[in-house]
CSV table of all heavy atoms in Angstrom, one decimal:
chain,number,residue,atom,x,y,z
H,8,LEU,N,19.9,-6.0,-15.7
H,8,LEU,CA,19.9,-7.3,-15.1
H,8,LEU,C,21.3,-7.7,-14.6
H,8,LEU,O,21.4,-8.4,-13.6
H,8,LEU,CB,19.4,-8.4,-16.1
H,8,LEU,CG,17.9,-8.2,-16.4
H,8,LEU,CD1,17.4,-9.1,-17.6
H,8,LEU,CD2,17.0,-8.5,-15.2
H,9,ALA,N,22.3,-7.2,-15.2
H,9,ALA,CA,23.7,-7.4,-14.7
H,9,ALA,C,23.9,-6.7,-13.4
H,9,ALA,O,24.5,-7.2,-12.4
H,9,ALA,CB,24.7,-6.9,-15.7
H,10,ARG,N,23.2,-5.5,-13.3
H,10,ARG,CA,23.3,-4.7,-12.0
H,10,ARG,C,22.7,-5.4,-10.8
H,10,ARG,O,23.2,-5.3,-9.7
H,10,ARG,CB,22.6,-3.4,-12.3
H,10,ARG,CG,22.9,-2.3,-11.4
H,10,ARG,CD,24.4,-1.9,-11.5
H,10,ARG,NE,24.8,-1.1,-10.4
H,10,ARG,CZ,24.9,0.2,-10.5
H,10,ARG,NH1,24.8,0.8,-11.7
H,10,ARG,NH2,25.3,1.0,-9.4
H,11,VAL,N,21.7,-6.3,-11.1
H,11,VAL,CA,21.1,-7.0,-10.0
H,11,VAL,C,22.1,-7.8,-9.2
H,11,VAL,O,22.0,-7.9,-8.0
H,11,VAL,CB,20.0,-8.0,-10.7
H,11,VAL,CG1,19.6,-9.0,-9.7
H,11,VAL,CG2,18.8,-7.2,-11.1
H,12,LYS,N,23.1,-8.4,-9.9
H,12,LYS,CA,24.1,-9.3,-9.3
H,12,LYS,C,25.0,-8.5,-8.4
H,12,LYS,O,25.8,-9.1,-7.6
H,12,LYS,CB,24.8,-10.0,-10.4
H,12,LYS,CG,23.9,-10.9,-11.2
H,12,LYS,CD,24.6,-12.0,-11.9
H,12,LYS,CE,23.7,-13.1,-12.5
H,12,LYS,NZ,22.7,-12.6,-13.5
H,13,THR,N,25.0,-7.2,-8.5
H,13,THR,CA,25.9,-6.4,-7.6
H,13,THR,C,25.2,-6.0,-6.3
H,13,THR,O,25.8,-5.4,-5.5
H,13,THR,CB,26.4,-5.1,-8.3
H,13,THR,OG1,25.3,-4.2,-8.5
H,13,THR,CG2,27.0,-5.4,-9.7
H,14,VAL,N,23.9,-6.3,-6.2
H,14,VAL,CA,23.2,-5.9,-5.0
H,14,VAL,C,23.7,-6.7,-3.8
H,14,VAL,O,23.8,-7.9,-4.0
H,14,VAL,CB,21.7,-6.0,-5.2
H,14,VAL,CG1,20.9,-5.6,-3.9
H,14,VAL,CG2,21.2,-5.1,-6.3
H,15,GLU,N,23.9,-6.1,-2.7
H,15,GLU,CA,24.4,-6.8,-1.5
H,15,GLU,C,23.6,-8.0,-1.2
H,15,GLU,O,22.4,-8.0,-1.3
H,15,GLU,CB,24.4,-5.8,-0.4
H,15,GLU,CG,25.4,-6.0,0.7
H,15,GLU,CD,25.3,-5.0,1.8
H,15,GLU,OE1,25.2,-3.8,1.4
H,15,GLU,OE2,25.4,-5.4,2.9
H,16,ALA,N,24.3,-9.0,-0.7
H,16,ALA,CA,23.6,-10.3,-0.4
H,16,ALA,C,22.8,-10.1,0.9
H,16,ALA,O,23.0,-9.2,1.7
H,16,ALA,CB,24.6,-11.4,-0.2
H,17,LEU,N,22.0,-11.1,1.2
H,17,LEU,CA,21.2,-11.1,2.4
H,17,LEU,C,22.1,-11.5,3.6
H,17,LEU,O,23.2,-12.0,3.4
H,17,LEU,CB,20.1,-12.2,2.3
H,17,LEU,CG,19.0,-11.9,1.3
H,17,LEU,CD1,18.2,-13.2,1.1
H,17,LEU,CD2,18.1,-10.8,1.9
H,18,PRO,N,21.6,-11.2,4.8
H,18,PRO,CA,22.4,-11.6,6.0
H,18,PRO,C,22.8,-13.1,5.9
H,18,PRO,O,22.0,-13.8,5.4
H,18,PRO,CB,21.5,-11.3,7.2
H,18,PRO,CG,20.5,-10.3,6.7
H,18,PRO,CD,20.4,-10.5,5.2
H,19,SER,N,23.9,-13.4,6.5
H,19,SER,CA,24.4,-14.8,6.3
H,19,SER,C,23.5,-15.8,6.9
H,19,SER,O,23.3,-16.9,6.4
H,19,SER,CB,25.8,-14.9,6.8
H,19,SER,OG,25.9,-15.3,8.1
H,20,ALA,N,22.8,-15.5,8.1
H,20,ALA,CA,21.9,-16.4,8.7
H,20,ALA,C,20.8,-16.8,7.8
H,20,ALA,O,20.3,-17.9,7.7
H,20,ALA,CB,21.4,-15.8,10.0
H,21,ILE,N,20.3,-15.8,7.0
H,21,ILE,CA,19.2,-16.1,6.1
H,21,ILE,C,19.6,-16.9,4.9
H,21,ILE,O,19.0,-17.9,4.5
H,21,ILE,CB,18.5,-14.7,5.6
H,21,ILE,CG1,17.9,-14.1,6.9
H,21,ILE,CG2,17.5,-15.0,4.6
H,21,ILE,CD1,17.3,-12.8,6.6
H,22,ARG,N,20.8,-16.6,4.4
H,22,ARG,CA,21.4,-17.4,3.3
H,22,ARG,C,21.5,-18.9,3.7
H,22,ARG,O,21.2,-19.8,3.0
H,22,ARG,CB,22.7,-16.8,2.8
H,22,ARG,CG,22.5,-15.8,1.7
H,22,ARG,CD,23.8,-15.3,1.1
H,22,ARG,NE,24.5,-14.5,2.1
H,22,ARG,CZ,25.7,-14.8,2.5
H,22,ARG,NH1,26.4,-15.8,2.1
H,22,ARG,NH2,26.3,-14.0,3.4
Side-chain angles (χ1 to χ4, degrees):
Chain H
L8 290 172
R10 197 63 192 257
V11 164
K12 300 203 166 60
T13 68
V14 178
E15 208 179 314
L17 288 169
S19 93
I21 295 180
R22 271 186 290 122

